[in-house]
């Protein structure tokens, strides 16, 4: 059955971030700027009396936008309320994943066509399986679901792109990801919390990323209001154990003394790609003119929203792969857009203010 | 400022309707069916004890899906509540458009950079304007905002495609479009109501289109639940005045009598393209195997959702053109997808059940 996901709005967001980056991601079959023409011409040919009435409608439209803002605030309240209802389920998930609690027989009962096929295939794979189990008796009954979150990171393209080889041993210690909504009356935001078991890399037990939102019409452009937008984000300080920080690497450089000609080796730290840079996001360019910066930030907003909307609520479906197919289709769509975007680069006129409505 | 619209979900829906029609609208850089492989392989290599825990997580996921359904029901309630808050604004809009009420000076006050430019251009256009006004003194002060809704139909690609020349004189009599939500406790649905002033084409004062929704996980595929879907729609009978029905045309055919060889002329009615076929939608193919039929219906759902989400709430912005630009970008995106879809046609394996999550 064909399903269309509300959650896909964040992907469209991504499309548009790319689109605005290069302004025209796809070519129009209409003459350049025809909208502008269509728009003003007609309007100017209207009798003054009719123009008056159109202005009256626009004033009414402003009232609608303000009501809409209230609506989205109530939806946010509803999301907070339901976060509470989901929590016991997410807590159980955390305990099963970490191995803190073993599910009862009843809690594990599962039978579906898919699984039946699986069982059939199982037999075929039995040999290979027993082999594998022979290798390591412990693998027979590991604690909880090993590498549950790391597996998800590896499977979801958007996350896998951030993942570096040196991140993997660290993410094996990731035990839960949760989202917390801002309290009522507080500025609207949500916080992603990444819980780690004690490990040899850093002393933090939880790493956080706060996404700040805005849910009111922009005075300068009220009609474009479509609900809450992510407008900023904030990471956290990771207390790396000595020499364990994977976000930097040490490079040695030989330096020759001008006068004496003696050579000495100096070491300096340079940034290194890592998922953990996610907790040290770039800041938006003040004038919104640095497209690369704002594109990076826009992508960060996408990832934050993707964690909140898809990965956290449906983690097991990303682990098993059941949630991947549609996301993959969209992913491929993004590649298409990216290509078209690159082609259209020279037409670039778009501003890059990286806000993402959700 | 970059804006991404929740409302765009309906466009994504459209993308996916097309995507599923041709199943693979865009080419994957990954080997065919790699997801399936990735998915099952990993799962099969898991120790039985771990599989048990994964099944436990899937049972928890079912509980989440049921909570999610309740969430969307509450959102629907919220939409009903806010429909009431918007109504006075929409009533005023209707009265200004129809000319039943003249806005006060205060209600018309409007000044913005755009309008200032407009005024500048105004002067340049003054001559042409005065000419036009000279032509018809009445045009100087017509009633309300003439052809308000027809203009919107002509500007919005999705609607313009349905519009035929013979529809235009009829749609000049369209005075309002509203949406009504189902009462609490009733099956979830929304009804589009098209209000017409008395006219020479049909006797109905309102034409209606009901879109029925479903907001519960599908027992056969609970994990794909993402919120309410349009699952069916129902039009209404248009009481056309004699010879005014634009949805049919009369064709004359000469018939020769086999035996006697006498020739007589017979007339028969054949269907004709018209926007008003919107009120006589096709029925989904029972087995969901007739792709053309289901694609047509899927598109109909899109249009219904587009009326509800975009056209009705922001009509004036479509009239002035201010709402068109983003929709146009998306429109162009759809063209891209359509092209890719056509290329990929032969790979077709997708089912076409035309449901649209909103």
């Amino acid at each position: 059955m064909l399903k269309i996901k509300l959650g896909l709005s964040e992907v469209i967001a991504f499309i548009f971030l790319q689109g605005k980056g290069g302004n025209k991601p796809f070519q129009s079959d209409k003459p350049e700027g025809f909208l502008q023409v269509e728009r003003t011409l007609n309007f100017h040919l209207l009798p003054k009396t009719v123009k008056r009435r159109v202005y009256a409608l626009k004033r009414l439209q402003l009232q609608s936008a303000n009501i809409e803002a209230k609506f989205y605030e109530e939806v946010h309240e509803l999301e907070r309320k339901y976060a509470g209802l989901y929590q016991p389920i997410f807590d159980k998930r955390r305990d099963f994943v970490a191995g803190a609690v073993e599910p009862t027989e009843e809690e594990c009962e599962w039978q579906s066509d898919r699984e039946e096929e699986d069982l059939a295939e199982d037999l075929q794979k039995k040999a290979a399986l027993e082999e594998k189990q022979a290798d390591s008796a412990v693998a027979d009954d590991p604690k909880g679901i090993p590498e549950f979150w790391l597996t998800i990171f590896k499977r979801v393209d958007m996350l896998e792109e951030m993942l570096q080889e040196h991140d993997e041993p660290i993410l094996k210690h990731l035990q839960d990801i949760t989202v917390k909504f801002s309290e009522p009356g507080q500025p609207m935001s949500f916080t992603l919390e990444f819980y780690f078991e004690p490990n040899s890399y850093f002393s933090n037990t939880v790493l956080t990323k706060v996404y700040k939102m805005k849910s009111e019409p922009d005075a300068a452009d009220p009609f474009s209001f479509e609900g809450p937008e992510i407008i900023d984000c904030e990471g956290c300080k990771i207390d790396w154990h000595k020499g364990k920080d994977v976000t930097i690497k040490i490079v040695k450089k030989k330096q020759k003394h001008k006068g004496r000609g003696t050579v000495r080796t100096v070491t300096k730290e340079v940034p290194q790609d890592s998922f953990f840079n996610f907790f040290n996001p770039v800041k938006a360019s003040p004038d919104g003119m640095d497209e690369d910066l704002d594109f990076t930030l826009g992508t960060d907003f996408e990832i934050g929203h993707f964690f909140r909307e898809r990965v956290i609520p449906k983690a097991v479906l990303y682990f098993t792969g059941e949630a991947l197919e549609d996301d993959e289709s969209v992913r491929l769509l993004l590649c298409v857009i990216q290509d078209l975007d690159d082609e259209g680069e020279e037409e670039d006129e778009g501003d890059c203010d990286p806000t993402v409505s959700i």
Side-chain angles (χ1 to χ4, degrees), chain A:
Chain A
M1 153 148 353
L2 171 59
K3 298 282 178 180
I4 311 306
K5 293 155 188 54
L6 258 183
L8 286 178
S9 53
E10 77 256 19
V11 180
I12 269 293
F14 188 57
I15 289 174
F16 274 66
L17 280 164
Q18 299 202 343
K20 299 276 171 164
N23 201 38
K24 284 216 162 20
F26 8 79
Q27 307 310 316
S28 172
D29 51 337
K30 305 265 179 75
E32 196 55 48
F34 81 102
L35 285 166
Q36 196 55 37
V37 176
E38 222 177 48
R39 173 179 309 163
T40 46
L41 267 189
N42 294 19
F43 194 72
H44 283 291
L45 291 178
L46 291 175
K48 285 260 176 291
T49 53
V50 175
K51 276 189 191 155
R52 277 185 80 249
R53 295 167 195 142
V54 174
Y55 290 142
L57 295 196
K58 290 179 79 166
R59 280 179 69 101
L60 291 176
Q61 199 62 41
L62 287 183
Q63 296 177 33
S64 297
N66 293 320
I67 294 176
E68 199 180 0
K70 293 265 166 299
F71 168 78
Y72 283 114
E73 275 167 30
E74 288 206 46
V75 171
H76 187 71
E77 278 313 299
L78 212 51
E79 285 177 315
R80 293 184 57 260
K81 169 183 162 187
Y82 273 78
L85 300 178
Y86 288 121
Q87 201 49 54
I89 295 175
F90 291 154
D91 290 346
K92 268 197 168 179
R93 176 175 74 184
R94 178 201 58 219
D95 292 342
F96 292 162
V97 167
V101 176
E102 192 64 37
T104 66
E105 272 314 314
E106 190 199 1
E107 285 173 320
C108 299
E109 261 170 39
W110 188 268
Q111 205 51 272
S112 80
D113 300 348
R114 261 269 324 286
E115 265 68 53
E116 277 157 25
E117 291 163 25
D118 293 352
L119 294 176
E121 289 183 51
D122 246 357
L123 299 173
Q124 303 162 21
K125 300 222 168 54
K126 208 164 176 309
L129 199 64
E130 285 167 342
E131 217 174 293
K132 191 166 184 295
Q133 290 169 342
D135 295 349
S136 52
V138 286
D140 227 352
D141 188 7
K143 194 156 156 273
I145 303 175
E147 303 184 16
F148 179 76
W149 292 103
L150 173 57
T151 304
I152 292 168
F153 269 73
K154 286 178 171 173
R155 289 196 161 194
V156 175
D157 289 332
M158 207 188 283
L159 305 182
E160 195 262 351
E161 282 181 4
M162 294 191 288
L163 196 62
Q164 305 298 320
E165 211 178 333
H166 47 250
D167 296 326
E168 298 194 15
I170 310 176
L171 286 170
K172 286 182 182 175
H173 299 288
L174 178 57
Q175 293 200 303
D176 198 20
I177 309 179
T178 66
V179 59
K180 285 222 180 338
F181 293 97
S182 49
E183 290 301 317
Q186 297 300 311
M188 199 186 281
S189 74
F190 66 91
T191 304
L192 301 176
E193 300 182 328
F194 297 72
Y195 289 88
F196 287 82
E197 64 186 345
N199 63 76
S200 60
Y201 300 92
F202 47 72
S203 55
N204 316 56
T205 55
V206 56
L207 301 180
T208 61
K209 180 88 170 259
V210 183
Y211 285 93
K212 296 171 182 173
M213 294 186 285
K214 177 171 158 295
S215 180
E216 60 208 30
D218 181 352
D221 183 16
F223 293 143
S224 63
F225 178 70
E226 301 279 349
E229 301 171 304
I230 296 177
I231 52 169
D232 192 14
C233 64
E234 219 166 77
C236 69
K237 183 175 176 306
I238 305 179
D239 302 314
W240 295 99
H241 292 311
K242 194 166 184 325
K244 297 289 196 169
D245 185 348
V246 293
T247 65
I248 54 166
K249 63 173 167 235
I250 313 282
V251 290
K252 285 198 167 79
K253 245 176 80 194
K254 284 198 185 327
Q255 256 181 5
K256 191 170 183 197
H257 188 286
K258 287 254 167 28
R260 276 183 260 108
T262 52
V263 175
R264 58 168 197 164
T265 310
V266 293
T267 66
K268 72 187 244 274
E269 296 184 342
V270 297
Q272 172 171 253
D273 283 348
S274 163
F275 161 71
F276 291 91
N277 289 317
F278 182 67
F279 299 100
N280 182 23
V282 298
K283 278 287 154 204
S285 58
D287 51 7
M289 290 313 292
D290 184 336
E291 278 183 12
D292 295 341
L293 201 65
D294 290 338
F295 177 79
T296 307
L297 194 58
T299 308
D300 180 291
F301 291 177
E302 282 320 301
I303 292 165
H305 185 53
F306 189 75
F307 269 117
R308 169 193 161 172
E309 278 291 311
R310 321 281 309 157
V311 175
I312 294 174
K314 298 179 186 294
V316 67
L317 302 181
Y318 284 98
F319 179 82
T320 62
E322 285 155 287
L324 287 172
E325 218 147 31
D326 292 326
D327 293 347
E328 177 64 12
S329 312
V330 171
R331 190 72 194 166
L332 298 171
L333 167 57
L334 296 183
C335 303
V336 174
I337 304 308
Q338 180 61 76
D339 297 346
L340 289 156
D341 192 17
D342 296 343
E343 290 164 21
E345 210 74 294
E346 66 283 2
E347 301 183 22
D348 192 324
E349 319 142 5
D351 78 40
C352 257
D353 189 346
T355 63
V356 176
S357 286
I358 55 182

